Amino acid sequence: MEHITTPKVENVKLLDRYTNRKAANGTLYLTATHLIYVDASAEVRKETWILHHHIATVEKLPLTTAGYPLLIHCKNFHVAHFVIGQERDCHEVYTSLLKLSQPVKPEELYAFSYNPKMSKENREIGWKLIDLKVDYQRMGIPNDYWEITDVNKDYEVCNTYPPEIVVPRAANKAVVIGSSRFRSRGRIPVLSYLYKENNAAICRCSQPLSGFSARCLEDEQMLQAIREANPGSPFMYVVDTRPKLNAMANRAAGKGYENEDNYDNIRFKFIGIENIHVMRNSLQKLLEVCETKSPSMSDFLTGLENSGWLRHIKAVMDAGVFLAKAVKDEKASVLVHCSDGWDRTAQVCSVASLLLDPFYRTFKGFMVLIEKEWIAMGHKFSHRCGHLDGDPKEVSPVFTQFVECVWQLMQQFPCTFEFNERFLLEIHDHVYSCQFGNFLGTCHKEREDLKIFEKTHSLWPFLLQKKQELRNPLYRGFTAYKELQPNTLPFSFQFWCGMYNRFDKGMHPKQCVLDHLLSCMSQKMKLEDNASELENKLPFLDGPLPSEACSLPKAGYAASKTPMLNTPQGYEVEPPPVLSNGASAGDVDVTSDVDRKHKENLLHHQGLHDLNDAVDGLDSKAKDGKLQHH
């Protein structure tokens, strides 16, 4: 709170970028964790909350007739344009936000003060929810060819890898240690995913320290062990995800890429995904296009093309498709790396795993995938997301691109993912929010040093509590689709309005067809529960007549089984509800409140017949790949 000099400013305007409506007028509050704007001009109390950690930039604009503008850009692509009446207030809010949005020490991050009133035991259970050993066991590891080893338990091999890694059983400790000395930052080849159908593996590492001619016997033995762990293939691929020119430039610094002459039976391939600096600039250009107030169609499409963003998304997707085809169709193992093996390598291995394994398309599986490929394997979230005040050149939307690749797959295969778009957006928001400990730091060792597991909470239990609203109503189940084969021709990629313009009112409909379907299905479940409850009450409404006392239990049972109550859609007209004395509602002049509610409920059920037809129609369209999003 020491950074907040002015906690409250009144008569602040909030401008709307896309509509010509009158600016909102209200009060701006600064708290220890959030900027809160309360719109006083709205008929219903309306609040805008912006987490300090979400703020990417704060900019003071030139004075206008309305006052002193303050423009805030957020990491989740929210843009807020305030106009403050007094220069002093504007300056104090500006300086406070600069300090609050760029903490210097990790201990200042929100996760260390966030307290959801959860017991210590439940917090610990939350951190144990995702167990990577279980995922390796699901793949059939350990087996004759692969083992889970604690050779890195003291971070002697690599300080950015987790304590336990999966390596070929044939690679002894000397081979592992020797290989680590020949790989950038000690990031040796380790298993990412094993395709059980044919023993082909996806492995990952960093670039070799080969320079122009250096070689390492242990590293060559390590790759041989990976190849021989897949007896069904006489060769393996080594994939460098960088453009060839970039990799060649690294040779001058004593790094580089594998020489095919030095490694037995490898096939080397460059993929050509650009580096973090190109991606950062590309996103900036994309956002400039998104923020253009009234673009023509030509301007928008030209700007989108010039940003190169979708071209980069396609490059990541193409790489994932290549890996998946090599493993499934060619039955060949693949070793993937970029420079240090924590950016492009994580993207490509994750996309390939999603294409090959339906488990990773479930709620739990997707969490496992992020833990395994991103968190455990040392993607530098703290640097790439700018959690702390540091080098801006280290910031890059690497994880954002992966999330978008998943969304692009969901557009092509709308029935194959258990979760919906909102689930992806929730995860993306919390990568930047620092509210939970999962994405803090740069590697497992750093998270241990920060005592993340003792002092913060895990995101995953929080998301699972919201599972009902984050699920995909079109999901066909775990076994409906196995491997995915996406089309990666340019026309297959869409601009993700729901990510980059989701906070802009005038840009797109707020309710897509899947959200509407989910809402209808939720309403349907509530109505069915209500109908069931009323059915149970109905036989005991007024008590049995003396002559029918002995037959009522049977009649009650029959009533609960009758098609009239459970499948009203089978009737052309609504049947009159049966009263507790055996008479129909048409035989008496007065019906009770419960009867009336029951009758209304049956009318609702009649409507549900139409809803069921609509749901079935949407399902079949989605299965045919014809579902259009609006």
Side-chain angles (χ1 to χ4, degrees):
M1 293 293 285
E2 70 270 15
H3 298 312
I4 301 173
T5 51
T6 305
K8 176 182 176 182
V9 183
E10 296 181 329
N11 296 318
V12 176
K13 292 182 174 63
L14 177 59
L15 307 184
D16 191 322
R17 293 191 296 162
Y18 292 101
T19 61
N20 294 320
R21 289 185 305 181
K22 186 179 176 184
N25 194 295
T27 305
L28 187 150
Y29 299 89
L30 289 183
T31 72
T33 56
H34 290 79
L35 176 156
I36 305 168
Y37 179 77
V38 181
D39 185 352
S41 57
E43 294 178 7
V44 180
R45 181 180 173 91
K46 187 179 172 188
E47 298 179 353
T48 301
W49 289 57
I50 298 176
L51 190 65
H52 297 324
H53 291 321
H54 271 161
I55 295 174
T57 61
V58 188
E59 187 180 356
K60 283 197 296 184
L61 300 181
L63 174 66
T64 67
T65 53
Y68 295 86
L70 196 64
L71 186 62
I72 297 173
H73 282 89
C74 296
K75 297 169 185 176
N76 60 351
F77 312 116
H78 187 184
V79 179
H81 193 163
F82 296 106
V83 179
I84 299 174
Q86 300 296 319
E87 182 182 12
R88 180 183 170 186
D89 290 339
C90 180
H91 182 72
E92 289 187 348
V93 170
Y94 169 76
T95 53
S96 293
L97 288 176
L98 280 181
K99 292 172 182 172
L100 291 165
S101 63
Q102 296 177 341
V104 178
K105 303 174 187 173
E107 296 77 15
E108 296 173 12
L109 296 171
Y110 186 22
F112 291 99
S113 60
Y114 174 61
N115 181 14
K117 301 290 187 290
M118 183 185 289
S119 69
K120 181 184 175 186
E121 291 75 18
N122 283 343
R123 190 192 71 230
E124 290 172 354
I125 290 169
W127 279 114
K128 292 174 183 173
L129 184 67
I130 303 300
D131 184 349
L132 298 186
K133 265 191 175 178
V134 174
D135 194 44
Y136 290 126
Q137 288 166 5
R138 185 182 66 84
M139 298 178 206
I141 297 169
N143 58 30
D144 291 344
Y145 300 107
W146 297 93
E147 65 177 353
I148 303 171
T149 174
D150 63 355
V151 68
N152 196 42
K153 62 183 176 184
D154 297 318
Y155 305 105
E156 290 176 4
V157 176
C158 175
N159 62 6
T160 58
Y161 271 178
E164 293 185 322
I165 51 179
V166 180
V167 296
R169 199 175 280 279
N172 58 36
K173 187 172 182 179
V175 168
V176 169
I177 299 291
S179 176
S180 73
R181 291 176 183 147
F182 190 66
R183 292 282 164 176
S184 177
R185 302 182 191 273
R187 293 174 66 88
I188 62 166
V190 295
L191 183 92
S192 168
Y193 178 72
L194 181 66
Y195 190 63
K196 278 199 300 187
E197 310 290 327
N198 59 23
N199 282 323
I202 297 174
C203 297
R204 56 182 294 177
C205 60
S206 62
Q207 65 185 331
L209 304 179
S210 54
F212 290 101
S213 59
R215 56 188 297 183
C216 171
L217 178 62
E218 289 86 358
D219 196 66
E220 292 163 22
Q221 289 172 339
M222 175 65 92
L223 267 66
Q224 183 181 349
I226 292 172
R227 181 178 54 78
E228 290 176 351
N230 177 18
S233 175
F235 73 95
M236 66 178 281
Y237 281 106
V238 176
V239 173
D240 190 329
T241 59
R242 299 170 294 180
K244 185 173 182 179
L245 277 176
N246 296 28
M248 290 179 71
N250 272 279
R251 277 184 155 187
K255 300 175 184 178
Y257 53 92
E258 291 80 359
N259 184 337
E260 284 183 280
D261 294 336
N262 297 339
Y263 294 85
D264 290 338
N265 301 309
I266 71 163
R267 294 184 186 175
F268 189 85
K269 181 178 176 64
F270 285 109
I271 293 270
I273 302 171
E274 298 290 352
N275 64 29
I276 61 170
H277 312 296
V278 173
M279 301 308 189
R280 181 177 60 251
N281 294 334
S282 176
L283 178 62
Q284 187 55 45
K285 289 177 183 175
L286 177 76
L287 296 179
E288 286 169 8
V289 174
C290 296
E291 291 167 25
T292 307
K293 188 161 187 181
S294 302
S296 66
M297 179 61 87
S298 175
D299 289 343
F300 177 78
L301 293 177
T302 302
L304 183 59
E305 166 62 20
N306 289 340
S307 75
W309 184 253
L310 288 179
R311 192 161 62 249
H312 299 316
I313 297 297
K314 172 176 160 49
V316 175
M317 193 79 85
D318 279 332
V321 169
F322 175 82
L323 261 63
K325 283 184 175 176
V327 165
K328 179 180 178 292
D329 298 338
E330 298 186 63
K331 301 179 175 58
S333 292
V334 187
L335 176 64
V336 188
H337 68 74
C338 46
S339 295
D340 291 315
W342 50 43
D343 291 319
R344 290 166 279 200
T345 302
Q347 290 176 327
V348 172
C349 291
S350 300
V351 170
S353 297
L354 275 170
L355 297 178
L356 289 168
D357 196 331
F359 171 66
Y360 296 127
R361 297 173 225 144
T362 66
F363 280 107
K364 186 79 176 282
F366 195 67
M367 294 171 185
V368 168
L369 184 65
I370 291 173
E371 281 280 350
K372 180 163 62 78
E373 298 300 330
W374 294 84
I375 297 173
M377 296 306 294
H379 176 66
K380 302 198 297 182
F381 280 104
S382 180
H383 296 172
R384 297 292 179 259
C385 302
H387 290 162
L388 299 170
D389 187 18
D391 184 359
K393 290 181 180 177
E394 282 288 298
V395 174
S396 190
V398 178
F399 188 77
T400 300
Q401 289 181 316
F402 164 64
V403 172
E404 173 155 347
C405 283
V406 180
W407 181 81
Q408 297 284 355
L409 287 172
M410 290 166 75
Q411 305 318 294
Q412 290 197 39
F413 304 99
C415 303
T416 62
F417 289 84
E418 188 182 12
F419 45 83
N420 60 21
E421 176 189 65
R422 195 175 293 128
F423 178 69
L424 296 180
L425 294 175
E426 283 271 357
I427 291 174
H428 187 265
D429 279 357
H430 284 297
V431 165
Y432 289 96
S433 75
C434 302
Q435 184 175 348
F436 299 92
N438 307 66
F439 306 106
L440 303 189
T442 60
C443 60
H444 192 277
K445 182 179 185 298
E446 192 172 323
R447 280 185 280 277
E448 280 187 342
D449 293 342
L450 290 171
K451 293 185 167 48
I452 293 294
F453 310 108
E454 293 86 37
K455 294 182 177 180
T456 72
H457 294 82
S458 171
L459 171 64
W460 309 130
F462 169 80
L463 289 181
L464 288 177
Q465 285 174 2
K466 301 171 70 174
K467 191 173 178 179
Q468 191 58 33
E469 64 190 81
L470 301 175
R471 71 189 183 93
N472 172 16
L474 299 181
Y475 182 54
R476 306 295 290 185
F478 186 85
T479 56
Y481 299 84
K482 203 169 184 190
E483 297 87 5
L484 302 182
Q485 297 179 6
N487 188 330
T488 61
L489 291 172
F491 61 75
S492 304
F493 294 89
Q494 303 176 33
F495 170 69
W496 190 4
C497 196
M499 170 73 97
Y500 306 108
N501 284 111
R502 101 176 121 126
F503 295 99
D504 299 315
K505 297 170 191 168
M507 284 297 286
H508 58 108
K510 280 309 194 184
Q511 189 175 45
C512 77
V513 64
L514 294 188
D515 284 342
H516 184 62
L517 181 57
L518 192 60
S519 173
C520 289
M521 291 176 74
S522 178
Q523 183 185 9
K524 173 188 171 187
M525 289 170 64
K526 287 178 184 174
L527 289 170
E528 287 176 340
D529 289 345
N530 193 22
S532 178
E533 187 180 336
L534 289 170
E535 286 169 19
N536 292 335
K537 286 180 180 177
L538 192 58
F540 306 100
L541 182 62
D542 297 319
L545 295 174
S547 60
E548 296 174 340
C550 60
S551 63
L552 240 185
K554 209 179 234 181
Y557 178 77
S560 71
K561 292 292 182 184
T562 174
M564 178 186 74
L565 295 178
N566 281 330
T567 54
Q569 60 267 32
Y571 287 80
E572 291 181 10
V573 294
E574 180 208 348
V578 179
L579 302 182
S580 60
N581 62 5
S584 73
D587 296 332
V588 292
D589 294 323
V590 181
T591 58
S592 72
D593 287 342
V594 174
D595 290 323
R596 219 167 6 253
K597 284 180 182 174
H598 180 64
K599 189 170 182 178
E600 290 169 6
N601 204 62
L602 285 173
L603 282 168
H604 278 304
H605 267 254
Q606 197 72 32
L608 285 173
H609 174 46
D610 299 330
L611 174 62
N612 281 328
D613 288 344
V615 171
D616 292 341
L618 279 167
D619 271 356
S620 63
K621 281 184 181 180
K623 195 168 185 181
D624 294 338
K626 295 176 183 175
L627 185 66
Q628 297 294 315
H629 291 257
H630 302 288

